[in-house]
Amino acid sequence: TNSIATIFSCSFALKKRGELDGNTELSAFAEKLEAACIRTVEEGKMTKSLSLISTCENPVVLNSLEFIQAIRETLDKML
């Protein structure tokens, strides 16, 4: 499956749960998770499937696990 699509479907659910429960911290975390995904790709770190459609000149091609770990590193910097 597409790593970003999976993460965004989960983050959407987290945002909705945060909204329903009045849990602004959960909603904020979900927003940061999405931003970390986008920032990671903008930094040129992506899976092969993304690199094939990217305009990034020299992408760093990662397998799915490495890509998720790169997103986590980006997210850690944002938290």
Side-chain angles (χ1 to χ4, degrees), residues 2-43:
N2 179 315
S3 301
I4 289 183
T6 301
I7 291 169
F8 271 71
S9 66
C10 290
S11 66
F12 178 81
L14 291 173
K15 282 193 286 189
K16 189 62 176 176
R17 184 77 263 166
E19 177 187 318
L20 293 172
D21 293 345
N23 186 338
T24 56
E25 290 180 9
L26 180 58
S27 296
F29 172 78
E31 293 284 340
K32 288 179 183 173
L33 178 57
E34 291 176 0
C37 288
I38 294 166
R39 185 175 297 173
T40 301
V41 172
E42 287 175 342
E43 291 174 353

